[in-house]
Amino acid sequence: MADEQKQNEVPDSTAVRVALWRAMHVQADQPPHVLKDEIGLQLATPDEGWQRRPDMDPRSTSGFRAAIVARARFIEDLVAEQAGHGITQYVVLGAGLDTFAQRRPEIASRLRVFEIDQPGTQAWKRQRLIELGYGIPDWLRLVPVDFEAGGDWWEQLSDAGFDPGRPAVVVSTGVTMYLTKDVTAATLRRLAGLAPGSTLAMTFMLPTELVDDADRPALEATKPRAQAAGTPFISFYAPQEMLALVHDAGFKEAQHVSGTVLAERYFADRTDGLRPSSGEDLLVATT
């Protein structure tokens, strides 16, 4: 039983891939780096030669890598901005190998940071943070929720010390494509009840017909791999559909942030041609 429990304490393969792409950006791309994050690599401890994996190829995966660091940089800029405005709670849904708390303690320590994910991932991450010497400071709360068993993340979040009466920043990146639209709609309705002045940032995957022609083959190639890994893409949204969902849920304001906007913001002056691939956009909503 102990061995079985230990085997379950492993991070999701998608979360590891995202962490490795973030590290690859630092190791393979020219400066200036949009985001500097090699802590996820330290957490993941991949096998030697991980840089030679097909999904880490510096050239063929450059667009995905750039998109990952662009969305992460956007989120961090948003959190820093909101912290400057007095927000003191930050919630990460589907946190995976997020390393904001370790890389940006000057901001994170002024907040109460709640990372929500599956129990196995959270147990593994807790142990790795301790082994690497980062520890679990009091302001960082790792919140395990067994979604497959119908766990109530809102209840678990409250039990971990979240105060629904105070504004918060809530982020969910790289998650909605794995959920049914009904589940996402229910999550949005719950989040719309956050205290006034709260902000939600959420990514969503575009339907194939809205993806740039040059990016469609690579995106289509990822779908069977996701299926084989047990994490199939389920839901796709046109921007207007996602905006309608958010407004129907009860948010006061909502804004679509396209991948083109992120490319112009973070990659405009690069000389190496590195640009984010299209396919995943952002929504920012406020209560």
Side-chain angles (χ1 to χ4, degrees):
M1 180 66 72
D3 289 342
E4 181 179 347
Q5 181 178 4
K6 193 70 175 178
Q7 289 175 0
N8 290 333
E9 293 179 1
V10 295
D12 176 80
S13 60
T14 302
V16 171
R17 184 179 300 111
V18 168
L20 297 185
W21 272 339
R22 287 160 69 139
M24 181 68 77
H25 175 57
V26 178
Q27 297 182 5
D29 297 326
Q30 299 175 14
H33 296 118
V34 175
L35 187 85
K36 294 182 179 179
D37 181 11
E38 294 182 280
I39 294 177
L41 171 61
Q42 297 174 29
L43 288 170
T45 59
D47 293 337
E48 186 176 350
W50 64 271
Q51 299 96 329
R52 296 189 294 275
R53 286 170 32 173
D55 61 348
M56 291 294 124
D57 181 77
R59 180 170 298 179
S60 64
T61 66
S62 64
F64 292 133
R65 182 170 70 248
I68 289 296
V69 297
R71 81 183 189 191
R73 173 65 182 275
F74 178 87
I75 294 297
E76 294 201 4
D77 287 350
L78 176 67
V79 173
E81 176 189 34
Q82 292 298 310
H85 293 162
I87 296 295
T88 58
Q89 300 185 109
Y90 174 34
V91 181
V92 189
L93 297 175
L97 276 67
D98 189 274
T99 60
F100 172 78
Q102 291 74 48
R103 290 181 297 102
R104 303 297 301 275
E106 75 284 0
I107 299 174
S109 62
R110 292 156 40 202
L111 306 167
R112 182 162 286 185
V113 181
F114 301 88
E115 296 188 6
I116 297 177
D117 215 318
Q118 293 280 5
T121 296
Q122 295 295 62
W124 171 87
K125 187 174 185 180
R126 179 180 295 276
Q127 184 62 34
R128 289 297 296 143
L129 288 172
I130 293 171
E131 291 171 353
L132 290 171
Y134 292 104
I136 314 293
D138 182 63
W139 44 263
L140 174 60
R141 308 293 171 89
L142 302 183
V143 185
V145 180
D146 192 344
F147 297 101
E148 295 176 0
D152 187 338
W153 65 269
W154 185 258
E155 180 180 345
Q156 297 290 92
L157 183 61
S158 297
D159 290 345
F162 179 79
D163 184 353
R166 290 192 292 126
V169 177
V170 180
V171 305
S172 173
T173 59
V175 175
T176 59
M177 70 279 283
Y178 303 116
L179 306 176
T180 66
K181 293 188 175 183
D182 287 343
V183 168
T184 294
T187 300
L188 289 170
R189 289 193 295 271
R190 177 65 64 85
L191 292 173
L194 289 167
S198 297
T199 301
L200 166 69
M202 174 181 284
T203 63
F204 59 95
M205 188 168 281
L206 298 172
T208 302
E209 63 269 19
L210 296 183
V211 177
D212 292 348
D213 290 346
D215 296 326
R216 286 181 189 175
L219 177 61
E220 288 301 308
T222 66
K223 292 180 180 180
R225 291 200 292 266
Q227 179 82 34
T231 54
F233 298 156
I234 296 174
S235 299
F236 304 84
Y237 301 86
Q240 290 304 317
E241 180 185 5
M242 181 56 78
L243 287 169
L245 270 179
V246 170
H247 284 301
D248 290 346
F251 280 88
K252 185 172 68 175
E253 296 180 1
Q255 174 189 6
H256 167 227
V257 182
S258 69
T260 301
V261 168
L262 296 185
E264 292 173 350
R265 181 176 300 185
Y266 300 119
F267 295 84
D269 298 326
R270 297 191 69 90
T271 60
D272 59 359
L274 183 67
R275 298 278 289 185
S277 60
S278 59
E280 190 178 45
D281 283 1
L282 270 154
L283 171 109
V284 179
T286 55
T287 57

